[in-house]
Amino acid sequence: MEPIWAVGLMTGTVLDGNIDVALLRTDGETIERFGRYTLAPYPAAIRTLLEDCLAQARLWNFEGPEPAIFAAAEDALTRAQSSAVADLVAQAGLRPDDIGVVGFHGQSVLHRAPQPGRIGATRQLGNGQLMHDLLGIPVAYDFRSTDVRAGGQGAPLAAVYHQALLRTIGAVDGRTAVLNLGGVANVTWWDGHDQLIAFDAGPANAPLNDFIKGLGLGEMDRDGAMALRGTVDEARLSQLLTHPYLTAPYPKSLDRFDFLASMADGLGPEDGAATLTAFTAGAVGKALDLLPRRPERIVVCGGGRHNPAIMHMLGERAHVEAVPAEVVGWRGDATEAECFAFLAVRVLRGLPISFPTTTGAPQPLTGGILVG
């Protein structure tokens, strides 16, 4: 198949109020070209609606009928994201019929990892049929459910795209891994041959953002300023790093609420931010210890790479060289949206998007629903 233009969409679990929208020209195996990328802000009303959804999803916890708010939020976010796609395509000087497919991840509101004797569960809000009707472009969506129904973790799905990115920089010897710092941290490692491994390492921005918000001090520890002024509570950190998830074998995945801001209860703003940041870095270090070969360098994507405190502590506490994605020519804010453009093309081609060593799927699995 010749490469085609695809659009990818992503809205993270940290609810930063933005829709990530990216164009990628790809055949679903290689990356021919990065296209235009933008952050399209949600209207405030939708952001509030999604915050309410997350709160109600935790109470629901996959028991009984879905909360009624899901339907309203799904319609609103689908329309907002469809508008963001149309705007980006126009800004890029393209027409809808120039786009082969849209990869619509939707908004994750709840994710439950499988346990022995119980398959997992996952819910992303997003109406792919409505998006297709609005745009007139084929839409791939609901990327995780097939994997979860088959007994997989449903996450992380970025591994096969990270593998394609690693190829673009000739990182085919296992010495370089990819770290994404969103609400949760996930790591991808590839030996350059047949071994592709990915799993959620631990928390990233979610507990830290929630801690800052809970104190009424803004949306996040911008530029790591609080953490850099604070002192890590080393005794508390040592205890946090004994959490059994951190040394559990992969494949494994997390919900953004599996690690909470309450880890910093009783600490002041600066010391709490420093301790939560150090925990993120320490958890990454433990994740790297689990790999067949410990990488010497990690290329960091996602919002967390903008935080100098996290980047410094990755070197200090995870004992690895951490470089932002831009150092190697990638777009660290666009990576997740690009990933779902890439996965959408794989859905279009019937190629697998999850694997035994990434999500724990029983075999390489195709997934997603394609409309149009």
Side-chain angles (χ1 to χ4, degrees), residues 15 17 42-57 67-80 107-109 125:
L15 294 184
Y42 270 136
I46 294 181
R47 186 172 179 181
T48 300
L49 189 62
L50 292 176
E51 288 175 343
D52 289 345
C53 273
L54 258 67
Q56 292 197 33
I69 195 174
F70 283 12
E74 189 160 62
D75 184 82
L77 75 86
T78 299
R79 292 180 185 277
Q107 178 67 56
S108 291
V109 290
L125 301 180

Side-chain angles (χ1 to χ4, degrees), residues 1-370:
M1 174 183 170
E2 290 296 310
I4 60 172
W5 281 115
V7 178
L9 290 154
M10 187 66 192
T11 50
T13 55
V14 293
L15 294 184
D16 61 2
N18 292 312
I19 309 162
D20 297 355
V21 199
L23 273 160
L24 187 73
R25 192 164 177 86
T26 178
D27 60 3
E29 295 181 88
T30 58
I31 300 164
E32 183 186 271
R33 196 184 331 163
F34 298 122
R36 196 176 181 93
Y37 163 72
T38 192
L39 278 176
Y42 270 136
I46 294 181
R47 186 172 179 181
T48 300
L49 189 62
L50 292 176
E51 288 175 343
D52 289 345
C53 273
L54 258 67
Q56 292 197 33
R58 293 179 70 193
L59 294 172
W60 167 57
N61 200 30
F62 300 108
E63 298 292 335
E66 287 189 350
I69 195 174
F70 283 12
E74 189 160 62
D75 184 82
L77 75 86
T78 299
R79 292 180 185 277
Q81 294 201 25
S82 298
S83 177
V85 171
D87 289 348
L88 183 76
V89 170
Q91 290 163 12
L94 299 171
R95 302 183 310 274
D97 58 6
D98 293 322
I99 308 302
V101 67
V102 175
F104 179 25
H105 176 267
Q107 178 67 56
S108 291
V109 290
L110 199 62
H111 178 82
R112 184 173 70 193
Q115 301 293 332
R118 186 192 74 184
I119 65 168
T122 193
R123 183 67 165 97
Q124 285 77 44
L125 301 180
N127 185 334
Q129 182 65 58
L130 174 60
M131 181 173 283
H132 170 62
D133 294 343
L134 292 169
L135 294 173
I137 302 170
V139 175
Y141 72 110
D142 193 15
F143 290 90
R144 302 184 190 274
S145 293
T146 297
D147 183 85
V148 169
R149 284 194 298 267
Q153 301 276 333
L157 292 182
V160 71
Y161 181 58
H162 289 165
Q163 180 184 43
L165 285 172
L166 287 167
R167 280 198 192 98
T168 68
I169 60 170
V172 294
D173 56 8
R175 295 181 181 179
T176 299
V178 182
L179 175 68
N180 180 69
L181 294 175
V184 166
N186 58 70
V187 64
T188 299
W189 180 87
W190 179 44
D191 68 352
H193 302 286
D194 300 324
Q195 204 169 16
L196 177 67
I197 292 168
F199 56 93
D200 287 345
N205 301 315
L208 180 58
N209 289 4
D210 291 348
F211 178 69
I212 300 301
K213 286 181 190 176
L215 295 173
L217 296 174
E219 299 294 317
M220 65 189 76
D221 183 13
R222 195 168 298 279
D223 299 323
M226 290 188 189
L228 290 170
R229 290 197 302 268
T231 301
V232 174
D233 183 333
E234 297 291 351
R236 184 180 303 218
L237 176 63
S238 295
Q239 184 61 37
L240 290 172
L241 288 171
T242 65
H243 193 289
Y245 179 86
L246 304 182
T247 49
Y250 53 81
K252 55 183 178 176
S253 65
L254 290 167
D255 180 70
R256 65 96 75 207
F257 292 112
D258 285 336
F259 288 91
L260 299 172
S262 56
M263 294 185 292
D265 278 357
L267 297 178
E270 288 84 6
D271 292 354
T275 302
L276 291 174
T277 302
F279 180 51
T280 290
V284 168
K286 286 187 171 290
L288 300 182
D289 291 341
L290 297 175
L291 294 169
R293 170 180 183 163
R294 201 180 201 281
E296 298 162 13
R297 177 176 71 158
I298 49 176
V299 182
V300 187
C301 307
R305 80 190 192 292
H306 293 303
N307 184 325
I310 290 180
M311 295 299 285
H312 172 73
M313 287 192 190
L314 285 169
E316 183 181 68
R317 293 177 182 270
H319 308 295
V320 66
E321 179 191 2
V323 299
E326 288 70 20
V327 167
V328 298
W330 304 347
R331 304 184 298 183
D333 287 325
T335 305
E336 284 195 288
E338 292 166 2
C339 169
F340 284 95
F342 186 86
L343 292 180
V345 177
R346 292 183 72 85
V347 172
L348 201 63
R349 294 187 59 191
L351 296 173
I353 63 172
S354 61
F355 306 86
T357 54
T358 62
T359 66
Q363 65 270 338
L365 287 178
T366 57
I369 298 171
L370 185 66

